Amino acid sequence: MTTVSFHMDGARITGFTSRGHSGFAPEGEDIVCAAITSTVRLVECAVNDVLGLGAAVKVDPDRALISLKLPGGLSQAAESTCQTLLTAMMVYLAELRDEYPEHIIVTEV
């Protein structure tokens, strides 16, 4: 099962951690894992490669873990864009959880 935890500071999403394999199908055939991975990578690329914000990213393949933490001191525009991206990610993954409840958990911490 994959657990995606969104780190919150009040209503503000400060980052996320995704941990574990969904177990929906064998590696390389798992559509749930592929959907989660694609979403995580899209948001990380948007924040760091497109916006150039230098969010801290931690990857541990042995534990099937990836996390992202937004930097402090973002401009109002960058903050707004990041919140939109992270909220969209949260909504999408919650919908995926509703579709595959035995394979993904989405939490706010």
Side-chain angles (χ1 to χ4, degrees):
M1 171 148 330
T2 300
T3 301
V4 182
S5 302
F6 287 88
H7 306 281
M8 308 297 294
D9 182 11
R12 179 179 183 258
I13 304 170
T14 61
F16 63 84
T17 301
S18 177
R19 178 178 289 129
H21 293 288
S22 75
F24 179 77
E27 187 175 332
E29 299 175 17
D30 193 327
I31 61 170
V32 176
C33 203
I36 295 165
T37 300
S38 293
T39 304
V40 165
R41 292 184 72 187
L42 174 68
V43 171
E44 189 275 326
C45 286
V47 169
N48 282 335
D49 299 334
V50 176
L51 296 172
L53 299 179
V57 176
K58 179 180 176 183
V59 178
D60 184 344
D62 294 332
R63 296 185 344 180
L65 178 139
I66 184 167
S67 65
L68 178 141
K69 181 176 181 183
L70 293 177
L74 296 176
S75 70
Q76 186 175 13
E79 179 68 29
S80 177
T81 300
C82 287
Q83 291 308 303
T84 298
L85 287 166
L86 290 167
T87 300
M89 178 183 175
M90 184 186 291
V91 169
Y92 171 73
L93 291 175
E95 289 176 2
L96 193 65
R97 174 207 53 216
D98 292 346
E99 205 170 328
Y100 299 96
E102 295 179 10
H103 301 282
I104 179 173
I105 296 171
V106 179
T107 64
E108 295 179 23
V109 294

